[in-house]
Amino acid sequence: MNNRSYVINHWSFKACDETEWKPARVPGTVHTDLFRNGLIPNPFDGTNEHDLQWIDRKDWEYETSFELDEAWFALPRLELVFDGLDTYADVTVNGVHVLSADNMFRVWRIDVKPLLQQGTNKMVVRFRSPIAEDLPKLEELGYDLPAPNDQSELGGLGDRRVSVFARKAPYHYGWDWGPRFVTSGIWREVRLEGWCGPVIRDLSIRQDRVNASVAELTAVAEVETAERWEGQLRVTNGEQTWERSVVLEPGTQAVEVPAVISEPKLWWCRGLGEPAMYNFRAELVANGGQAPLAEASVRTGLRDIKLVRETDAAGASFRFELNGVPVFAKGANHIPNDSFLTEVTDERYRHEIASAAESGMNMLRVWGGGIYEQDVFYELCDEYGILVWQDFMFACSMYPGDPKFLDNVTHEAEDNIKRLRNHPCIALWCGNNEIDSAWAHYLEDKGWGWKQSYTTEQREKLWADYEAVFHEILPKAVERLANGVAYWPSSPLRRLTGDEFQHANERSGEGDIHYWGVWHAVEPFDNYNLRVGRFMSEYGFQSFPELKSVLTYAPESELALESDIMLAHQKNGRGNQLIKEYMDLYLPTPKDFKSFLYMSQVLQAEAIRTAIEAHRRNKPYCMGTLYWQMNDCWPVASWAGMDYYGRWKALQYTVRRSFREVMLAIYEPESGPISVSVVSDLQHPVEAQLRLSLYDFQGTLLKEQTLEVRAAADSVVEAVVFARAEWLEGRDPRQVVLHAILEIEGQAVDSKPYYFASAKELSLPTANITVQEEAGSGGSRYTLVSDALARQVWISAEEEGIFSDNYFDLIPGIPVTVEFRRRGGESSVEPFVAGNPGKLTVRSMIDFV
């Protein structure tokens, strides 16, 4: 092979109305380059976001020079490739315009050989202001398009929301958890590629039929050649080889090679088996030759993934089946890990995906207001056995439908489906986030009130534009390119009849549901038990990050609920007050704001625990629970389970317990009685022993009962039902705790405390907790014991890392042993490494009230 590739990464930048060039980092953004050059303060500190809105009003230039020797010019094609330009960019090479880009999510490729020269070549990328670019489009349209999360007021635009016109990450314009930083920059790799003869542009392994006995595959190679060529296309997985003779005509064509693997190693998500992977390589070999002239490789897993929607007595199922096995989806919604995407290192991605796996998750939803994630994200999901619900990048807005916009979307869909289709983790392509439910075209009295602001003619036009994207372009692209993965037009959604879709609600009996009655509508936590759908793809509750994280953006003097900085780092309107209102209902009053931070995490964890247990108790009616949200894009009060720095909140530890393969769920409806259920995701039956013990808060055992429980494979069984009076026997409900523990073959698989009064009403004693290092653990294992009931015991470490458990209750006489694992860091191949946590601090709820 004579093909060559050269990554171009030495750049300078400046504003177009300035003359001085500064060093730039590519991939990068204008904001991060300004910060690294000391030209702006840290965008995340204090209220700096408000002062940096001028950046998106300017045009910016990036320039570079690169040297080419004569060997490059022996190749007939020299192409400039941009994997990502954010967003409106004009590219010149040696003074000649070669490319105008207008989509952050597309790959741009252009032949530049006639413009290149031996020696020094100069390239300039000029980014036009996305605001200045799109304001005229709004004026031309003549009316606003709904985009309620676009923080145009902060950007100095008043109510003129232009985010919908740009094929750019929607969250860059602000969201109810993220800042408004409308970036520009070369955000993915840029390189020069030279080639001759045929070249393999893309290699896809289409999985025509896969089961435990056989995998019938088709290797599809997209080949480009400048002249007619004859030879062999050879495909190998290292153990088997398949090949065919090919005759290539000038241009681009798809060449297929059938392949069969007997008794394949299947790819499974977490909990069902190992995520086995195969490497495939395709080679073009000239007739009579041995060395390949062109080659391409892919890594994929063999699996059969389906979205199953079968009519039943309750409506219609909504579940995923992997290799014929129903999957109860356990996971969260993923947003971009940073407002400035190029700041997200591979280690940060690994930390997130490893944290999801550690938390018992088997699915993440890549939400539609962010980006089609970097390759490493999907590679890690493949490796860890995490299924991915993949949204296209449209969210909470109505979009234009002019031919240029629709053509742009068509190319965007093709680029990203082709890039991601070999990843076995991809379980679903979803058209958008919440647009169908917000507009509610077929139900006049439903939706978010958008359509009532438009004339009948405008409404029909907007809906026709919607259908063009989400019911025509995207489903056709998925059907043609996604190798059999299902398409779902919008989330949430329920199907009415035939091809007509309309938005989901908690009583529909079909489709997926975003339930936000708790939080946005200030409904009680118990409503999680009442509003259970077939698949819960969004629900959530906010908390603050821990004090260490808050102090990265706010000084001690600003530690108050309504301070300017706290409000700047709370993007959900009344968010801080909502946390307080719920806290007043459910928890003791914290003694100060630092205690409020801790208590907010306890509150959030209790809300989501209630939801997850309700969803899992209702299996198989409900077959998925994805809470909002996994992560943060900046340090902020939000719905995330781990904060911007990757620090696990109380929620993440609670999720870890709630996503155990075998879980205890204790539920007491208003009408009573109390039920204890065993939820098993195991694919085999289990014989278990359930022990219920009643203690007072000083650790005295008051009553005990042991039961034998049999749970069928992948089932829910109600183990015992009882009236509260049966166990209380006249005792003060504020001073006793029921401890349930489930054992299988003598090993505890889950345990759970149950209180007969709310946390706000409990008579918590002063608790003295002792911590003892386990001998021989190298300082990584500790046993905790308390002399009185200690609620929500929080262990914090000097080192960054996670504990095997945290935010748990300590009952006197029942020790808890935890292990600390340090965060691996960039140089480590492991995400978490057993080690010494450094100084430990142990506190419980009584210390914060």
Side-chain angles (χ1 to χ4, degrees):
M1 292 185 296
N2 296 316
N3 298 342
R4 307 186 76 182
S5 181
Y6 170 62
V7 177
I8 304 171
N9 53 19
H10 297 289
W11 295 76
S12 301
F13 86 111
K14 68 177 182 66
C16 289
D17 58 359
E18 297 176 355
T19 58
E20 184 180 359
W21 293 93
K22 296 284 188 180
R25 180 178 296 180
V26 171
T29 72
V30 168
H31 289 74
T32 51
D33 285 330
L34 287 169
F35 177 57
R36 287 194 181 94
N37 282 279
L39 300 174
I40 62 171
N42 187 331
F44 293 163
D45 281 358
T47 60
N48 288 345
E49 174 201 2
H50 301 173
D51 301 324
L52 298 177
Q53 296 302 309
W54 57 271
I55 298 171
D56 62 43
R57 299 296 194 93
K58 284 180 171 284
D59 295 343
W60 299 89
E61 280 187 335
Y62 281 71
E63 75 163 11
T64 187
S65 296
F66 53 93
E67 304 283 330
L68 294 179
D69 59 33
E70 61 179 324
W72 280 91
F73 296 91
L75 301 172
R77 293 286 294 272
L78 298 180
E79 294 178 331
L80 190 60
V81 184
F82 290 93
D83 286 339
L85 287 168
D86 177 16
T87 290
Y88 297 111
D90 294 302
V91 182
T92 61
V93 175
N94 292 330
V96 179
H97 177 269
V98 297
L99 172 67
S100 288
D102 60 356
N103 190 322
M104 174 180 180
F105 305 123
R106 288 177 59 181
V107 175
W108 304 93
R109 179 185 293 271
I110 187 74
D111 186 7
V112 292
K113 182 174 181 181
L115 305 177
L116 297 177
Q117 57 196 21
Q118 288 191 38
T120 301
N121 293 268
K122 182 179 180 181
M123 178 164 52
V124 175
V125 181
R126 177 173 181 148
F127 290 97
R128 307 190 302 278
S129 160
I131 306 306
E133 183 76 14
D134 288 332
L135 276 171
K137 299 175 186 175
L138 178 61
E139 298 300 323
E140 182 180 355
L141 184 63
Y143 52 85
D144 291 335
L145 294 176
N149 287 287
D150 183 329
Q151 296 170 16
S152 56
E153 293 85 357
L154 179 60
L157 301 177
D159 60 359
R160 295 178 297 171
R161 293 178 169 84
V162 298
S163 57
V164 295
F165 297 101
R167 290 312 301 143
K168 174 175 174 57
Y171 85 109
H172 282 167
Y173 296 81
W175 218 265
D176 59 0
W177 36 259
R180 184 184 187 278
F181 290 120
V182 185
T183 59
S184 291
I186 305 170
W187 77 288
R188 282 179 170 159
E189 186 177 273
V190 54
R191 61 191 176 275
L192 186 68
E193 293 183 351
W195 58 278
C196 66
V199 60
I200 301 175
R201 291 294 194 196
D202 180 71
L203 176 62
S204 171
I205 306 300
R206 191 176 71 221
Q207 304 189 25
D208 302 313
R209 184 167 73 98
V210 174
N211 55 45
S213 300
V214 65
E216 296 178 359
L217 314 172
T218 303
V220 183
E222 183 180 291
V223 183
E224 183 177 356
T225 182
E227 55 189 22
R228 194 172 189 274
W229 184 89
E230 295 184 27
Q232 304 293 315
L233 177 60
R234 180 186 303 150
V235 178
T236 179
N237 67 358
E239 297 180 359
Q240 295 174 259
T241 300
W242 308 269
E243 63 180 53
R244 59 165 289 189
S245 298
V246 295
V247 177
L248 303 177
E249 300 297 338
T252 300
Q253 53 237 275
V255 182
E256 299 187 354
V257 178
V260 176
I261 299 176
S262 299
E263 298 183 346
K265 297 176 182 178
L266 298 181
W267 185 92
W268 294 95
C269 67
R270 291 189 70 78
L272 293 183
E274 294 300 315
M277 298 289 287
Y278 283 82
N279 293 305
F280 290 88
R281 187 174 73 256
E283 300 173 340
L284 286 170
V285 181
N287 289 332
Q290 292 296 322
L293 299 178
E295 65 178 22
S297 298
V298 297
R299 181 170 168 81
T300 190
L302 306 182
R303 52 83 178 110
D304 178 52
I305 184 75
K306 290 183 174 68
L307 174 65
V308 179
R309 303 195 66 258
E310 297 173 338
T311 301
D312 56 26
S317 67
F318 191 105
R319 72 174 184 271
F320 292 93
E321 284 189 2
L322 179 61
N323 303 323
V325 178
V327 177
F328 187 95
K330 298 179 288 191
N333 287 259
H334 160 90
I335 66 169
N337 274 303
D338 209 293
S339 293
F340 307 115
L341 292 163
T342 55
E343 298 301 291
V344 187
T345 63
D346 286 0
E347 189 276 334
R348 287 176 65 182
Y349 276 119
R350 186 179 61 194
H351 177 73
E352 181 197 1
I353 304 307
S355 291
E358 289 280 342
S359 303
M361 297 183 185
N362 59 21
M363 178 174 278
L364 290 171
R365 175 184 175 224
V366 178
W367 165 80
I371 63 168
Y372 307 94
E373 272 294 355
Q374 305 282 25
D375 292 343
V376 64
F377 175 90
Y378 303 98
E379 291 165 1
L380 287 164
C381 288
D382 291 343
E383 177 187 340
Y384 280 90
I386 306 291
L387 293 164
V388 172
W389 168 317
Q390 177 67 52
D391 282 5
F392 287 95
M393 292 303 117
F394 301 88
C396 302
S397 305
M398 297 299 282
Y399 291 86
D402 58 273
K404 185 177 181 181
F405 185 88
L406 297 182
D407 180 69
N408 208 349
V409 169
T410 301
H411 287 289
E412 171 188 323
E414 291 174 351
D415 279 1
N416 286 284
I417 295 171
K418 288 170 69 173
R419 179 170 68 93
L420 301 181
R421 62 185 170 185
N422 285 308
H423 290 285
C425 63
I426 300 292
L428 182 73
W429 283 94
C430 180
N432 68 72
N433 176 74
E434 295 186 342
I435 303 178
D436 192 295
S437 57
W439 185 258
H441 189 71
Y442 301 109
L443 302 173
E444 185 62 29
D445 60 342
K446 298 295 183 181
W448 296 0
W450 287 358
K451 58 182 179 286
Q452 286 77 10
S453 301
Y454 299 89
T455 66
T456 300
E457 182 181 1
Q458 289 170 340
R459 286 167 62 162
E460 292 303 319
K461 174 65 166 62
L462 285 170
W463 186 247
D465 292 344
Y466 174 92
E467 289 195 308
V469 175
F470 302 108
H471 290 241
E472 295 177 28
I473 291 172
L474 297 183
K476 288 179 181 178
V478 170
E479 183 179 16
R480 182 166 56 92
L481 299 170
N483 292 345
V485 172
Y487 174 78
W488 188 241
S490 183
S491 180
L493 189 76
R494 67 182 174 93
R495 191 190 304 263
L496 292 182
T497 57
D499 293 328
E500 185 178 89
F501 291 86
Q502 193 43 254
H503 91 107
N505 60 70
E506 62 270 21
R507 300 177 183 86
S508 69
E510 56 183 302
D512 71 309
I513 288 175
H514 295 189
Y515 171 59
W516 284 102
V518 176
W519 185 258
H520 288 304
V522 205
E523 294 177 12
F525 288 177
D526 190 56
N527 278 17
Y528 280 129
N529 293 293
L530 309 178
R531 304 288 189 259
V532 179
R534 308 309 296 262
F535 195 103
M536 306 300 293
S537 47
E538 260 198 44
Y539 58 93
F541 198 91
Q542 274 203 6
S543 75
F544 279 81
E546 65 180 81
L547 178 62
K548 185 192 301 184
S549 297
V550 171
L551 290 175
T552 65
Y553 63 83
E556 291 268 355
S557 60
E558 288 285 324
L559 297 184
L561 194 61
E562 297 292 304
S563 74
D564 288 345
I565 291 179
M566 287 306 131
L567 293 177
H569 286 254
Q570 167 58 269
K571 289 293 187 173
N572 183 228
R574 290 186 62 248
N576 289 359
Q577 284 301 319
L578 275 176
I579 296 173
K580 185 178 186 305
E581 288 175 24
Y582 272 105
M583 196 179 296
D584 290 343
L585 287 173
Y586 291 107
L587 292 179
T589 302
K591 63 185 180 182
D592 53 28
F593 183 72
K594 292 179 180 180
S595 300
F596 185 92
L597 301 178
Y598 159 89
M599 208 71 82
S600 77
Q601 293 198 21
V602 171
L603 182 71
Q604 177 192 37
E606 178 60 18
I608 302 307
R609 180 198 64 80
T610 303
I612 292 174
E613 289 188 10
H615 304 157
R616 293 190 69 189
R617 278 201 330 271
N618 281 279
K619 183 175 72 171
Y621 174 83
C622 177
M623 283 299 287
T625 179
L626 309 178
Y627 67 87
W628 186 271
Q629 64 208 64
M630 180 72 189
N631 55 323
D632 273 329
C633 69
W634 74 318
V636 66
S638 81
W639 296 272
M642 62 180 196
D643 70 22
Y644 173 73
Y645 301 101
R647 295 166 184 154
W648 284 28
K649 296 182 181 180
L651 172 58
Q652 205 65 42
Y653 287 101
T654 299
V655 163
R656 187 182 203 179
R657 294 190 288 268
S658 298
F659 281 165
R660 285 172 173 160
E661 287 187 303
V662 181
M663 178 195 73
L664 284 170
I666 306 175
Y667 176 50
E668 182 180 14
E670 282 190 17
S671 57
I674 301 170
S675 67
V676 183
S677 298
V678 175
V679 182
S680 175
D681 291 338
L682 297 174
Q683 297 302 302
H684 56 81
V686 295
E687 302 282 346
Q689 189 177 71
L690 172 64
R691 186 167 68 251
L692 301 176
S693 307
L694 187 71
Y695 294 91
D696 65 21
F697 287 178
Q698 283 67 47
T700 303
L701 179 62
L702 306 172
K703 185 175 181 177
E704 194 165 49
Q705 181 182 6
T706 301
L707 303 162
E708 300 298 323
V709 181
R710 186 181 190 280
D714 197 16
S715 69
V716 180
V717 58
E718 193 172 62
V720 63
V721 177
F722 57 86
R724 60 171 30 227
E726 177 185 338
W727 276 80
L728 285 174
E729 297 177 337
R731 299 180 181 92
D732 186 344
R734 299 171 303 167
Q735 298 182 8
V736 293
V737 56
L738 180 69
H739 183 246
I741 184 166
L742 188 73
E743 294 182 347
I744 298 176
E745 297 180 352
Q747 296 295 315
V749 294
D750 196 16
S751 63
K752 191 153 293 178
Y754 181 77
Y755 297 91
F756 295 89
S758 72
K760 185 179 180 68
E761 299 168 330
L762 294 178
S763 301
L764 291 180
T766 300
N768 297 304
I769 301 170
T770 59
V771 181
Q772 180 68 47
E773 181 183 330
E774 291 286 293
S777 71
S780 65
R781 288 173 61 85
Y782 298 83
T783 296
L784 288 76
V785 177
S786 181
D787 63 354
L789 177 76
R791 290 224 62 202
Q792 294 292 328
V793 175
W794 174 32
I795 318 168
S796 55
E798 186 177 24
E799 295 288 332
E800 295 289 343
I802 63 171
F803 289 92
S804 55
D805 201 5
N806 211 343
Y807 294 92
F808 52 82
D809 290 4
L810 267 178
I811 298 173
I814 305 179
V816 171
T817 299
V818 298
E819 181 181 48
F820 177 79
R821 283 190 288 161
R822 188 170 39 81
R823 187 166 172 174
E826 291 288 350
S827 60
S828 174
V829 296
E830 295 295 332
F832 303 108
V833 181
N836 194 309
K839 181 183 178 182
L840 287 181
T841 303
V842 180
R843 289 160 288 186
S844 68
M845 186 179 289
I846 196 65
D847 299 311
F848 296 94
V849 298

